[in-house]
């Protein structure tokens, strides 16, 4: 094993990162942090056809927002840079050629049309075309032509690729830290292209060369790369390089548990699939999630700390993180649980922070004065309603009556709570409230309860209609808290208005 722990997240900028990608980055980050190692971001952009404008910046912004920054990568050059494969393209050819010299790779001239034809012919026979030991000598490559012809064709600049020469009749013994030992018969493998005719390496070659040059100790990546492990291991052996330790993370599954979580599942189920907004798709950030909540629920998708604990900060996660607690089987994604996580993190925030986040949303509904009295007021309101909220964006719906008097009253509540005599009781209550000078929640509670007793009224005759006229419906926290907050004048005003309109 390499001395220093160095891990990398190596996305291809072919679109926005799905939360599965963020989870891969997170596990790498946690592992590096736990061992005092380095977490590297490497942009694998060798496939020019699939390059998507803005995708790289999106990846960087998403890691930043999640609070899992990389130590080395684009914009944070370390001694192993550059960290974008397109800027390293001059490096790879010599490695492909080294393999040819060692007899581990060969030149192939088959045009894409010819290969396509082979593929089609096989398909009509219900077979799959693979380029390997069984047919390579019948195809157009340096193994099937004479050295002279090879030289001529290379000198003339004829288009060609470089393929890996998979040795036949071997049993490869692979090791994955999550899945254990895996054996592969090399006869089932194809001779993968390592270097393309456009002068660029393929993913496989660039990935191995860079992991080697960047001294990567552990490769932690998604399960979809497990089929590439056989080739990667053979490449390390062919170069006579020590291979890193591999760990392939389980898939994140649809909420139903059947199949891989996709963008469509998010659209259908009304939950984000991306960390940040991408075109029309709202991200976790825009949906009002706290990054700590996102990181926490992602960490528990396919991993557990070995305890019942569910709420874990980034520090706690990295302290607890070990690869051997990563599951082999897929992790079912539960959108309700993500909301639960956000709720938990919201409760942990101070009222001051929540009020600051609420202010701009509040400003969409009422005129905000930038006075500290109002800030205090908003903080008090937040403290009263936050336990009912999952998101800061829920706050207005839960608290509007602290800021504006009701203009309508809930029909059902009127039918149930506004009885014969309610108007009269409210009238008497107005007279009584006018005499109260200390309008704190505590004093209101004591005074109103005494008043109800003295008047020989029941609680049920006074409190429900009172809530209806103050709030507009039967919702909300403790009524005396609401009244204490909005104050005497406002309470009296609301009761009087309601008496007139409800009669
Ligand atoms: N570029 C690959 C990807 O898009 C990297 C796979 C790996 O980590 O080896 O995920």
């Amino acid at each position: 094993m390499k001395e220093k722990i160095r891990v990398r997240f190596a996305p291809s900028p072919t679109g926005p990162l799905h939360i599965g990608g963020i989870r891969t980055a997170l596990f790498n980050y946690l592992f590096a942090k736990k061992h005092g190692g380095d977490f590297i971001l490497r942009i694998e952009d060798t496939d020019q056809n699939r390059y998507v404008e803005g995708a790289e910046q999106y990846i960087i912004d998403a890691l930043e927002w999640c609070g899992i920054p990389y130590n080395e990568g684009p914009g944070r050059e370390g001694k192993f840079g550059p960290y974008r494969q397109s800027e390293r393209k001059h490096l790879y050819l010599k490695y492909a050629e080294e393999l040819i010299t060692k007899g581990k790779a060969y030149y192939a001239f088959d045009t894409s049309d010819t290969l396509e034809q082979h593929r089609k012919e096989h398909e009509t026979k219900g077979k799959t075309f693979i380029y390997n030991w069984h047919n390579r000598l019948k195809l157009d490559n340096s193994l099937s032509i004479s050295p002279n012809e090879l030289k001529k064709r290379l000198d003339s600049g004829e288009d060609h690729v470089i393929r890996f020469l998979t040795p036949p009749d071997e049993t490869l013994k692979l090791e994955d830290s999550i899945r254990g030992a895996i054996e592969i018969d090399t006869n089932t493998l194809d001779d993968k292209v390592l270097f393309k005719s456009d002068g660029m390496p393929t993913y496989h070659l660039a990935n191995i060369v860079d992991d080697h040059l960047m001294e990567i100790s552990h490769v932690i990546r998604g399960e979809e790369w497990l089929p590439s492990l056989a080739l990667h291991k053979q490449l390390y052996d062919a170069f006579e390089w020590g291979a890193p330790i591999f760990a392939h993370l389980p898939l994140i599954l649809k909420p139903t548990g059947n199949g891989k979580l996709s963008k469509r599942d998010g659209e259908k189920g009304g939950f984000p699939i991306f960390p940040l907004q991408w075109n029309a798709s709202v991200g976790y950030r825009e949906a009002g999630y706290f990054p700590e909540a996102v990181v926490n629920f992602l960490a528990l998708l396919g991993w557990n700390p070995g305890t019942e604990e569910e709420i874990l900060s980034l520090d706690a996660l990295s302290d607890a993180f070990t690869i051997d607690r990563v599951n082999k089987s897929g992790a079912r994604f539960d959108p309700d649980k993500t909301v639960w996580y956000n709720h938990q993190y919201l409760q942990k925030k101070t009222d001051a922070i929540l009020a600051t986040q609420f202010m701009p949303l509040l400003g969409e509904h009422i005129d905000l004065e930038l006075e500290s009295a109002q800030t205090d007021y908003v903080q008090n309101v937040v403290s009263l309603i936050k336990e009912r909220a999952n998101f800061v964006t829920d706050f207005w719906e839960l608290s509007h009556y602290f800021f504006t008097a009701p203009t309508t009253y809930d029909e059902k509540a009127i039918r149930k709570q506004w009885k014969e005599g309610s108007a009269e009781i409210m009238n008497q209550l107005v007279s009584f409230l006018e005499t109260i000078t200390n309008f704190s929640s505590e004093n209101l509670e004591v005074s109103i309860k005494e008043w109800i007793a003295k008047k020989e009224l029941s609680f049920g005759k006074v409190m429900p209609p009172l809530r209806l006229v103050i709030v507009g419906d039967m919702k909300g926290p403790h009524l005396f808290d609401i009244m204490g907050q909005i104050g005497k004048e406002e309470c009296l005003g609301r009761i009087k208005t309601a008496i007139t309109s409800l009669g």
Side-chain angles (χ1 to χ4, degrees):
M1 193 170 107
K2 304 221 165 53
E3 258 165 54
K4 170 119 202 208
I5 300 285
R6 285 177 55 81
V7 292
R8 85 307 192 267
F9 176 49
S12 299
T14 53
L17 272 185
H18 169 283
I19 46 166
I22 293 290
R23 188 197 55 170
T24 301
L26 173 64
F27 283 19
N28 276 283
Y29 171 88
L30 295 175
F31 187 70
K33 193 159 156 36
K34 167 154 189 158
H35 297 283
D38 299 323
F39 170 50
I40 293 130
L41 173 66
R42 184 173 71 226
I43 301 294
E44 301 211 321
D45 56 352
T46 54
D47 192 347
Q48 313 266 284
N49 299 324
R50 295 182 61 218
Y51 184 82
V52 170
E53 198 62 44
E56 179 184 317
Q57 194 55 45
Y58 182 93
I59 293 165
I60 294 173
D61 293 346
L63 296 180
E64 196 68 37
W65 180 72
C66 289
I68 50 174
Y70 50 92
N71 313 98
E72 288 169 36
R76 274 175 220 154
E77 304 301 313
K79 67 175 181 165
F80 298 91
Y83 296 90
R84 234 176 247 119
Q85 289 185 328
S86 58
E87 289 168 18
R88 304 169 64 80
K89 62 177 178 216
H90 56 283
L91 276 169
Y92 306 108
L93 181 58
K94 83 164 197 236
Y95 290 101
E97 286 171 347
E98 181 183 328
L99 291 182
I100 291 188
T101 314
K102 288 180 151 172
K104 309 271 185 190
Y106 59 93
Y107 295 104
F109 297 93
D110 319 82
T111 63
S112 39
D113 284 349
T114 328
L115 293 174
E116 191 48 40
Q117 211 179 319
H118 287 310
R119 252 175 239 127
K120 284 214 178 104
E121 277 167 18
H122 276 71
E123 225 168 82
T124 51
K125 289 185 219 147
K127 289 187 184 159
T128 318
F129 173 70
I130 61 172
Y131 199 126
N132 69 0
W133 61 274
H134 84 288
N135 59 4
R136 62 168 83 100
L137 291 180
K138 289 184 239 149
L139 292 158
D140 191 10
N141 54 54
S142 53
L143 305 171
S144 63
I145 58 175
S146 70
N148 271 347
E149 187 185 345
L150 172 63
K151 184 166 182 323
K152 238 179 26 216
R153 290 172 77 175
L154 288 178
D155 289 348
S156 74
E158 185 177 333
D159 269 358
H160 63 269
V161 300
I162 297 175
R163 284 182 184 270
F164 185 68
L165 203 167
T166 315
D169 306 324
E170 280 181 21
T171 304
L172 288 175
K173 292 194 189 318
L174 309 175
E175 186 62 35
D176 179 88
S177 326
I178 297 167
R179 275 143 234 276
I182 304 167
E183 290 197 348
I184 304 274
D185 171 4
T186 56
N187 287 342
T188 63
L189 301 173
D190 56 344
D191 290 352
K192 280 268 184 314
V193 173
L194 301 177
F195 205 85
K196 297 178 284 185
S197 55
D198 65 0
M200 284 291 237
T202 57
Y203 151 71
H204 301 292
L205 180 70
N207 185 272
I208 263 54
V209 167
D210 284 347
D211 280 349
H212 172 70
L213 296 179
M214 294 182 179
E215 296 179 10
I216 298 303
S217 63
H218 293 71
V219 168
I220 304 171
R221 62 185 173 190
E223 183 181 288
E224 64 274 27
W225 301 101
L226 192 59
S228 303
L229 183 58
L231 173 63
H232 294 182
K233 174 70 170 57
Q234 292 182 92
L235 284 169
Y236 280 104
D237 292 347
F239 283 118
E240 295 168 74
W241 293 338
I245 290 170
F246 289 93
H248 290 86
L249 305 175
L251 293 177
I252 300 183
L253 305 177
K254 295 179 191 300
T256 57
N258 297 324
K260 195 173 154 184
L261 181 70
S262 72
K263 185 172 164 218
R264 258 187 62 77
D265 297 316
E267 284 159 1
K268 269 200 306 203
F271 56 85
I273 219 69
F274 300 126
L276 316 178
Q277 176 119 20
W278 179 265
N279 299 332
S281 305
V282 166
Y284 276 87
R285 179 178 62 185
E286 294 71 26
Y289 280 82
F290 298 112
E292 307 92 294
V294 173
V295 158
N296 195 156
F297 80 66
L298 283 179
L300 279 107
L301 278 176
W303 173 83
N304 69 79
T307 64
E308 292 297 297
E309 242 173 303
E310 290 188 285
I311 302 295
L312 295 138
S313 67
L314 211 45
D315 282 341
L317 286 171
S318 69
D319 285 346
F321 190 78
T322 56
I323 289 179
D324 59 15
R325 280 199 201 287
V326 178
N327 302 333
K328 281 197 202 54
S329 50
R332 197 174 62 81
F333 182 77
D334 178 357
D336 295 339
K337 193 77 194 212
T338 69
V339 174
W340 178 85
Y341 267 107
N342 213 61
H343 176 86
Q344 301 299 319
Y345 276 91
L346 192 146
Q347 308 313 313
K348 285 166 165 280
K349 300 265 174 201
T350 65
D351 297 336
I353 287 184
L354 292 173
T356 313
Q357 298 191 2
F358 181 32
M359 284 296 208
L361 304 176
L362 190 54
E364 291 169 13
H365 300 279
I366 60 163
D367 286 334
L368 284 179
E369 301 142 26
L370 289 168
E371 288 164 15
S372 66
Q374 191 170 35
T375 315
D376 291 347
Y377 184 85
V378 176
Q379 277 187 32
N380 291 338
V381 169
V382 164
S383 77
L384 293 173
I385 53 115
K386 70 175 180 187
E387 67 177 48
R388 287 150 212 266
N390 296 322
F391 300 96
V392 173
T393 46
D394 297 339
F395 283 4
W396 172 253
E397 186 53 38
L398 292 169
S399 71
H400 55 87
Y401 51 85
F402 282 100
F403 302 98
T404 56
T407 48
T408 57
Y409 304 92
D410 182 63
E411 285 296 333
K412 206 171 124 207
I414 299 174
R415 263 181 272 124
K416 234 176 126 190
Q417 312 296 357
W418 194 260
K419 309 259 168 62
E420 283 268 354
S422 293
E424 180 46 31
I425 294 174
M426 290 300 117
N427 248 325
Q428 293 180 21
L429 186 62
V430 166
S431 310
F432 173 64
L433 291 177
E434 271 165 350
T435 67
I436 297 185
T437 44
N438 176 356
F439 226 72
S440 70
S441 166
E442 299 74 24
N443 191 51
L444 281 172
E445 178 156 8
V446 175
S447 314
I448 293 178
K449 280 182 177 167
E450 271 175 18
W451 179 79
I452 291 173
K454 209 172 90 202
K455 286 265 170 193
E456 295 183 350
L457 288 167
S458 71
F459 224 63
K461 281 216 162 83
V462 180
M463 296 310 289
L466 182 56
R467 179 179 291 274
L468 176 65
V469 305
I470 298 282
V471 173
D473 59 34
M474 302 313 290
K475 295 186 206 131
H478 204 44
L479 185 57
F480 301 115
D481 286 343
I482 302 175
M483 293 173 71
Q485 269 309 303
I486 64 178
K488 182 169 175 175
E489 217 181 304
E490 183 66 25
C491 284
L492 293 174
R494 289 189 190 185
I495 303 171
K496 287 179 195 160
T497 309
I499 293 171
T500 320
S501 67
L502 295 173

